[in-house]
Amino acid sequence: MGGQWAATEPRVRGEILRRAFELIVERGDDYATLMTLEMGKPLAEARGEVGYGPSSSAGSRRRRAASRVAGPRRRSAATACSP
């Protein structure tokens, strides 16, 4: 599938990933219940994990996109020496 995915237009890949995100969020309670049944996690914790995955992925994409536009963040001389 790697070759097919690479050959797919970026816009189409984005639409596929967006739909996957929507389905995960839409079915979040089902995934959380499954995690609770399989791993014994408290339901509230499982819900948090289900919600965290897609949102952190979206945040990573936004940061990468911003980095491509603005370039990597540079530390100032004053903070470069700080631990």
Side-chain angles (χ1 to χ4, degrees), residues 30-41 45-46 49-50:
D30 294 335
Y31 291 125
T33 300
L34 186 61
M35 290 171 70
T36 296
L37 294 171
E38 288 186 352
M39 298 184 281
K41 278 186 183 289
E45 184 179 329
E49 287 191 25
V50 170

Side-chain angles (χ1 to χ4, degrees), residues 2 7 9 23 25 28 30-33 40-41 46 48 52 58-59 62 67 79 82:
E9 293 180 38
L23 288 171
V25 171
D30 294 335
Y31 291 125
T33 300
K41 278 186 183 289
Y52 175 78
R62 282 192 300 272
S67 177
T79 60
S82 300

Side-chain angles (χ1 to χ4, degrees), residues 5-31:
W5 184 253
T8 304
E9 293 180 38
R11 181 189 53 76
V12 173
R13 288 190 306 226
E15 290 170 2
I16 292 168
L17 292 173
R18 169 55 70 185
R19 182 64 183 140
F21 169 82
E22 290 169 354
L23 288 171
I24 290 170
V25 171
E26 186 179 299
R27 298 174 182 167
D29 282 342
D30 294 335
Y31 291 125

Side-chain angles (χ1 to χ4, degrees), residues 61-74:
R61 286 192 304 276
R62 282 192 300 272
R63 284 189 299 277
R64 282 194 304 271
S67 177
R68 282 193 297 270
V69 172
R73 282 203 251 168
R74 301 191 198 292

